[in-house]
Every structure is written in structure tokens, then in C-alpha cells.
Amino acid sequence: MLETSVRLLRLLALLQSRRDWSGAELADRLEVTSRTVRNDIERLRILGYEIHSSTGTTGGYRLSPGKTVPPLLLDDEEAVAVAVGLSAAAAGSVAGIEEPSVRALAKLQQTLPTRLRGRVDAVRRATVFAAGGGPAVDPQHLTVIAAAIRDHERLRFDYTGHSGDTTRSVEPQRLVYTGQRWYLLAWDLDRGDWRTFRADRITPRPPAGPRFTPRELTDEEATDRVRRGVGSQAWPHQAEVRLHASAEALAGRIPPEAGLLVPIDDETCLFQTGTNSLLGLVTYVTKLGVGFTAVNPPELRELLRQLAASYSAAAE
């Protein structure tokens, strides 16, 4: 009985982690026969989980929202409380658990009955989360994006950027939280390149698009791409400044959304960033209180020469 219970929990976790599974895939993951999988699926249905099955070459199983709350040892009030609590955590109210909260919220909303989804949305609309350091993001939008990433489905959304409102069609890859803002890293189908989008400026357009094969991308690569996109590519002036201090020493003083710190050696690092104003960048770097060398663009070096001459004249 214990082995069956453990297997059922593993099966349920697999069904929640992806939209569609074939019987052969589930049997392989659980190291059982296809007949055992069918029997276990029936057991989950008896427990209250609504699982659709289909036959044929593209057949398989899919966990769907049920008519009642599945037996997770939660009553209606507790389910609403958990969903609202996860929304608060996703908004950055508890440091370090924002991304797991979004994943958990996406799983919970997949099984919540319609009547409870309305109650959760009502509480969220009436609640203000002031703990986060960045702009507010609709948790419902985050869960839609997270579900599209999980299920490898194309995403269409309205986006408010620096150049105005546009409609984008992308293959979503990762949600990245920098400590102040949520960002979506995606492959932009219209531009044929990686793009970084601020999640608070995204309004998803359901339903989700066709499935796609996810691109090979580690978590570190995703984070680096977001930092590069946020810190430089979104701004009219892209710049590189060599700072005369280690990346480790400056990591706590330069937030991720300001740009990317690339270690050079134990005493220097490269700051890759972007700005609307080169003079503003000079002011920002000067306030760090460490020596620095302008690398790019050439206009930045010329500006420093002009400022040096002005300051020298003022001192005399």
C-alpha cells in the first residue's frame, strides 16, 4: 500500500509538471507497465482528480481543473488563503521565494474550481502588496506566463515599451526575478532573436498558441541574457566601463537591473550597462567611489575629456 501511495504522488507530480503525457512516458518515468499507469490514473480519478485521456498516436493523459477541490487536505477557505498567500509571495513580500511561489500558484490554479478562482481574484483585486521594491505585477499574468513556459506554448501579449504599445508573439523560455522586477526572457518570433520583457508591462492574450520545442538554455544563461537586455539593450546608449574593484565587492552595490558585472580579475571587473544619458552614467559610476576606465562607446571617453578640462579649469 505504501508503494502504491508513493507512486500515486509521483504520478500526480508528473501530471502537474507538464500539460500532456503519453502513457509510455509515464510508465518509463515511474518504471512500471502501461497497465499499472492506467490503474493508477483510475485511482486518482476516484480520489477526485479530473484526468482526461485520449487514444491514438497522439493520445495520452492531461490533468484538468476539477469540479471540486481535489483532496489536498484543503477546504475552500484554506485553498483561497493559500492562493492569495502565494500571490503575495510572488509579489516579493518574502525575499527568496518569489519564483517558487509563481510555480506553485500555477499548479494550484490548474486544479481550482471556477467558483474559487473568482474568490481568489476578488481578494487579489482588493489587496495592495507594498513589500516589493519594483512595480506591481498582476499575479494572474505571471501564472499565465509561467504556464506557457511550462507547457512550451507560444504566447501572444500586448506590450507597453519605450516606443509605445505593440503586440508580440514569442516562445517564452524563463521568468527571471531580479529582486525588484519580473522579466520574461523569450524568443521573439517576429524579430528572430532573444528579447527581454518587463512582466508588469505584459498583458497576455489567451488562448495560448501552438506548442514549440524549447531552446537549450541554462538558468545562468537565462539570467545573464536578462541582465544584458535590461542593463543595456533597452537603452539608447550602450556602455562598458572597467571598474577598479572586484565584481564580488560591487555586487551588493550595483543591482542586477542596472547592468551586468563581468569579473576580469581579483581587482577589476567590466560593467556592461545602458542609459538615456551618458552624463547620468558618469554620475552613477562616480558615486560608486572606485576608480574606473571608460571602454565604450567613444562618446563616453570624449565626454570624460570635456568634463576633466572643465573641472581642471574650475579648480584653477
Side-chain angles (χ1 to χ4, degrees):
M1 179 63 69
L2 178 61
E3 291 181 356
T4 301
S5 300
V6 172
R7 192 175 64 246
L8 287 178
L9 289 175
R10 290 185 59 195
L11 174 59
L12 183 58
L14 289 173
L15 291 172
Q16 289 180 335
S17 67
R18 205 173 79 189
R19 185 175 183 179
D20 296 301
W21 288 88
S22 70
E25 287 178 317
L26 291 174
D28 183 62
R29 289 291 190 95
L30 297 173
E31 298 180 347
V32 296
T33 64
S34 296
R35 181 177 180 179
T36 299
V37 171
R38 290 195 296 271
N39 291 336
D40 286 347
I41 290 291
E42 200 56 41
R43 291 188 179 97
L44 289 178
R45 287 170 175 161
I46 293 174
L47 289 173
Y49 293 94
E50 189 164 323
I51 303 172
H52 292 293
S53 60
S54 57
T55 59
T57 56
T58 61
Y61 300 97
R62 175 184 298 179
L63 179 65
S64 301
K67 297 179 180 178
T68 59
V69 177
L72 300 175
L73 303 181
L74 298 175
D75 59 25
D76 285 5
E77 299 298 330
E78 291 169 338
V80 171
V82 169
V84 174
L86 288 172
S87 297
S93 59
V94 183
I97 65 169
E98 298 87 0
E99 292 183 68
S101 298
V102 170
R103 294 197 300 269
L105 187 57
K107 289 182 179 180
L108 180 59
Q109 288 197 332
Q110 185 181 12
T111 56
L112 277 180
T114 302
R115 70 176 189 278
L116 293 189
R117 293 184 188 182
R119 291 175 59 183
V120 171
D121 290 339
V123 174
R124 280 203 298 243
R125 285 194 297 268
T127 305
V128 176
F129 300 118
V137 184
D138 188 338
Q140 182 65 30
H141 291 177
L142 282 179
T143 55
V144 170
I145 297 170
I149 294 172
R150 178 196 64 199
D151 297 334
H152 311 313
E153 293 179 333
R154 290 183 181 178
L155 184 67
R156 291 184 72 247
F157 55 86
D158 296 324
Y159 189 70
T160 303
H162 294 294
S163 57
D165 295 341
T166 57
T167 299
R168 315 299 282 267
S169 180
V170 304
E171 294 178 350
Q173 304 289 331
R174 293 286 200 286
L175 270 173
V176 178
Y177 183 67
T178 65
Q180 289 189 319
R181 290 189 176 97
W182 283 97
Y183 292 95
L184 167 65
L185 176 66
W187 182 263
D188 193 311
L189 295 171
D190 296 325
R191 291 155 180 79
D193 199 0
W194 292 102
R195 288 293 186 271
T196 299
F197 303 94
R198 275 178 50 172
D200 59 294
R201 296 178 175 176
I202 291 176
T203 303
R205 283 192 169 193
R211 302 285 291 272
F212 65 89
T213 301
R215 299 172 186 272
E216 293 186 7
L217 189 71
T218 67
D219 290 343
E220 288 186 358
E221 290 172 340
T223 301
D224 285 347
R225 284 189 179 276
V226 167
R227 287 178 176 174
R228 290 177 189 274
V230 172
S232 60
Q233 296 174 8
W235 303 98
H237 298 290
Q238 298 181 30
E240 291 182 320
V241 178
R242 180 167 178 162
L243 301 176
H244 300 173
S246 68
E248 183 179 0
L250 294 172
R253 301 172 59 188
I254 299 179
E257 60 270 19
L260 182 66
L261 283 175
V262 181
I264 297 177
D265 51 41
D266 293 339
E267 298 180 352
T268 59
C269 63
L270 188 66
F271 180 38
Q272 297 175 332
T273 186
T275 180
N276 279 323
S277 166
L278 291 177
L279 180 59
L281 175 60
V282 171
T283 302
Y284 179 83
V285 174
T286 302
K287 287 182 178 179
L288 294 174
V290 300
F292 64 92
T293 303
V295 179
N296 281 305
E299 294 82 1
L300 177 58
R301 297 195 296 273
E302 180 59 30
L303 174 61
L304 287 170
R305 294 189 188 100
Q306 294 173 6
L307 291 174
S310 297
Y311 292 155
S312 178
E316 293 175 359

